[in-house]
Amino acid sequence: MTYHIRRVALSFSVLLIALVMMPVISSAAGRDRIEAFLTTTGFDVALESIALASASAPSMLGIDPEGFGSDWTRLTEEVFDTEDMHQIAVTILEQTLSDEALNHAVEFYASDLGQRLVEAENASHLIEDEDAKQQEGQEIVADLIKNGSQRVESLKRMNAAIDSSGTALRALQEIQLRFLLAASASGVIDLQLDAEELRQMMKRNETGMRQALQLSALAGAAYTYQDFSDDDVIAYAEALEQPLMQEVYELLNAIQYEIMAMKFEDLATRMAELHPAQDI
């Protein structure tokens, strides 16, 4: 299951709130099938990769994590507990993912192309040096454009299908807002702006942020799928555009965004417990 939002300390709650308020669907899949679904699609690894985003949290607040010493590692491991994130996702999916949508996604990702895609996506998710991946992806894109390749348009089409409702930007804004407000409330930072002022500032920066997200997603896709043929990329884009796959992605994106938001809020609150390490 592909994941193209850059690892920054940000996420989204509005979609998940709507999903939680929806009535439980009578044909929702059982836990065992949800577990198999997560493994087959690779969404279990995408969830685990959320923990890697914690590296960017201190820089958002102007704090050097090195000053916390081993306490920082301990804290992030506790907050971004992979089993906890996994169980949150399973619980929500049990109530919201229909058998029809599950079967459709599993059928594609269990295919030869699907499993090759999952393998590549899992490996890409777990790369810790996001900047290096972005740089290599940007170089790949530059070469494709230089050579007049149509592959760039296919990658853009694929990315558009992944976020067809355009929630990524709003998700990142909401996560950033929640993270900063939580850090301010816990005394980690002295925030001079209130929530409404922060929203207005983010709105003024929307154009630049949207462009940055699109470029980041394009570079990420170019890197992740560099060993796939043009026909494979087109086939993937077509699969992602199918209505049932769109349903699956809207749900998984909402879950992933909300888990990120909750974890970063928790991290911001618990950072108040830490004290800078002292040199001996």
Side-chain angles (χ1 to χ4, degrees), residues 43-55:
F43 190 64
D44 55 344
V45 176
L47 287 172
E48 291 178 15
S49 71
I50 291 175
L52 298 177
S54 64

Side-chain angles (χ1 to χ4, degrees), residues 24-274:
V24 177
I25 52 181
S26 59
S27 61
R31 180 166 289 258
D32 289 344
R33 297 192 66 216
I34 293 296
E35 293 283 2
F37 164 83
L38 292 176
T39 301
T40 302
T41 61
F43 190 64
D44 55 344
V45 176
L47 287 172
E48 291 178 15
S49 71
I50 291 175
L52 298 177
S54 64
S56 66
S59 62
M60 287 186 62
L61 306 176
I63 297 173
D64 181 5
E66 295 296 327
F68 296 128
S70 60
D71 283 345
W72 177 252
T73 300
R74 173 189 57 78
L75 177 60
T76 55
E77 288 178 350
E78 290 177 2
V79 172
F80 293 91
D81 179 78
T82 55
E83 181 59 28
D84 180 53
M85 293 190 290
H86 183 92
Q87 290 306 316
I88 292 172
V90 170
T91 298
I92 298 171
L93 286 169
E94 278 188 293
Q95 302 176 53
T96 56
L97 182 61
S98 68
D99 281 325
E100 185 180 15
L102 181 150
N103 291 336
H104 181 84
V106 168
E107 182 178 357
F108 173 76
Y109 282 107
S111 68
D112 175 67
L113 173 59
Q115 283 299 284
R116 287 191 291 117
L117 288 165
V118 169
E119 182 179 0
E121 290 165 1
N122 286 351
S124 182
H125 291 328
L126 298 178
I127 292 175
E128 295 190 22
D129 193 342
E130 179 70 13
D131 290 337
K133 183 172 77 172
Q134 280 286 309
Q135 180 61 40
E136 186 169 342
Q138 290 168 11
E139 293 172 358
I140 294 172
V141 171
D143 287 341
L144 290 173
I145 293 174
K146 180 180 179 180
N147 295 326
S149 173
Q150 291 300 307
R151 186 182 179 91
V152 173
E153 294 307 312
S154 298
L155 292 172
K156 289 181 180 179
R157 177 184 173 186
M158 185 180 70
N159 285 343
I162 291 167
D163 184 32
S164 61
S165 56
T167 61
L169 177 60
R170 296 196 302 276
L172 295 180
Q173 290 172 328
E174 286 298 319
I175 300 172
Q176 185 175 38
L177 180 70
R178 289 169 62 172
F179 180 61
L180 292 173
L181 292 177
S184 177
S186 62
V188 175
I189 60 172
D190 182 16
L191 191 61
Q192 301 300 311
L193 303 175
D194 61 25
E196 183 56 32
E197 289 171 327
L198 281 172
R199 289 185 188 280
Q200 290 301 318
M201 182 180 69
M202 291 176 185
K203 188 172 183 61
R204 290 194 295 271
N205 296 330
E206 272 189 6
T207 300
M209 189 172 182
R210 181 178 290 106
Q211 183 178 32
L213 282 174
Q214 291 172 345
L215 292 175
S216 176
L218 181 59
Y223 175 89
T224 302
Y225 307 109
Q226 59 185 299
D227 294 329
F228 289 81
S229 69
D230 289 346
D231 287 343
D232 285 340
V233 173
I234 292 173
Y236 195 18
E238 292 175 345
L240 291 169
E241 290 169 345
Q242 294 301 308
L244 282 174
M245 194 71 91
Q246 291 283 293
E247 178 183 329
V248 169
Y249 264 86
E250 183 174 2
L251 176 57
L252 294 184
N253 285 342
I255 292 171
Q256 185 165 261
Y257 297 155
E258 177 61 15
I259 289 175
M260 288 178 69
M262 290 190 299
K263 292 302 181 181
F264 275 102
E265 280 183 319
D266 188 12
L267 180 65
T269 299
R270 295 193 57 189
M271 283 176 72
E273 305 170 5
L274 301 182

